[in-house]
Amino acid sequence: QAVVTQEPSLTVSPGGTVTLTCGSSTGAVTSGHYCYWFQQKPGQAPRTLIYDTTNKHSWTPARFSGSLLGGKAALTLSGAQPEDEAEYYCFLSYTDTWVFGGGTRLTVL
Amino acid sequence: EVRLVESGGDLVQPGGSLRLSCVGSGFTFSTFAMTWVRQAPGKGLEWLSYISESFSPIFYADSVKGRFTVSRDNAKNSLYLQMNSLRAEDTAVYYCARGFGTSWFYLWGQGTLVTVSS
């Protein structure tokens, strides 16, 4: 089964910019993997930020954006806020199976 | 209010069975695909199963294929996960999620805890 990799942890300064990435053991991540990005805070259910690589839901703050970058999917946070401190998971689609990444713990400090 | 509510989580012995439910309200349940995801204590998310709004296709993760069965009863606005031959590693919070358009994860439930232990 494919393995989806994320940075275990990242730190960003308030107001700063950070990029989280999502790689696949099978090769480059493409639009055909329909990448999702989720935010999860302690004790809460996940919240979907990005779907189909770049699409946002109505509740997704404008400071979050999804893209493909260097063979990986990427979630860029521009202008980090204290409330953005959370765990972030990506999710990729393969043929008849779907796999979450291990998550990135983002600290805003 | 549009919401999903999971229930059925419990303490069960290894080898036992359990059926989880996910009830939708505030929307037309029959028109949306549904997904099950779980999260072991202190661990990441794991995709388990998908069922389309028309009952087919259905997909399972390899880790639960042959042990878990997803179903839905649109008349009851309900999604189910029948879990058999439970193992300690199935201990987790189980979430259901509703799709919208091309997004599988438009709406999440709050989760229900399953503990497999003797």
Side-chain angles (χ1 to χ4, degrees):
Chain A
Q1 168 162 309
V3 175
V4 177
T5 55
Q6 299 182 242
E7 298 87 359
S9 63
L10 290 170
T11 300
V12 61
S13 301
T17 297
V18 64
T19 297
L20 289 65
T21 68
C22 179
S24 172
S25 63
T26 62
V29 176
T30 70
S31 59
H33 287 93
Y34 303 102
C35 181
Y36 289 73
W37 289 96
F38 306 91
Q39 179 192 65
Q40 188 179 33
K41 297 181 179 180
Q44 296 183 15
R47 180 173 77 143
T48 310
L49 295 176
I50 301 289
Y51 67 100
D52 292 352
T53 306
T54 61
N55 294 334
K56 300 180 185 183
H57 283 298
S58 58
W59 55 80
T60 305
R63 60 185 180 273
F64 289 96
S65 63
S67 65
L68 295 175
L69 192 66
K72 296 182 178 182
L75 176 71
T76 299
L77 170 58
S78 303
Q81 302 297 309
E83 60 265 29
D84 298 328
E85 185 162 296
E87 193 84 18
Y88 291 83
Y89 296 93
C90 66
F91 177 79
L92 298 181
S93 171
Y94 297 88
T95 305
D96 291 349
T97 193
W98 291 262
V99 183
F100 280 96
T104 295
R105 177 157 296 183
L106 182 66
T107 300
V108 180
L109 186 62
Chain B
E1 180 187 3
V2 175
R3 63 189 302 205
L4 294 170
V5 179
E6 301 96 334
S7 62
D10 205 348
L11 171 63
V12 60
Q13 292 191 339
S17 297
L18 206 58
R19 188 177 85 153
L20 305 183
S21 300
C22 166
V23 177
S25 58
F27 62 94
T28 305
F29 184 85
S30 62
T31 62
F32 296 102
M34 300 295 295
T35 302
W36 284 103
V37 171
R38 70 182 177 186
Q39 186 169 36
K43 303 297 184 181
L45 301 171
E46 180 185 11
W47 171 77
L48 296 180
S49 184
Y50 167 94
I51 181 169
S52 81
E53 63 273 22
S54 58
F55 300 88
S56 177
I58 290 175
F59 300 108
Y60 296 99
D62 287 345
S63 59
V64 303
K65 199 174 296 183
R67 298 189 301 126
F68 290 10
T69 302
V70 65
S71 62
R72 62 190 298 161
D73 184 339
N74 288 338
K76 295 183 178 180
N77 294 333
S78 293
L79 172 75
Y80 305 104
L81 188 67
Q82 177 66 43
M83 305 186 296
N84 299 329
S85 303
L86 284 163
R87 309 164 180 166
E89 54 265 36
D90 295 318
T91 294
V93 174
Y94 286 71
Y95 295 100
C96 63
R98 193 207 88 179
F100 179 71
T102 60
S103 175
W104 278 18
F105 300 98
Y106 182 83
L107 176 68
W108 291 78
Q110 86 292 344
T112 187
L113 176 62
V114 173
T115 303
V116 184
S117 174
S118 55

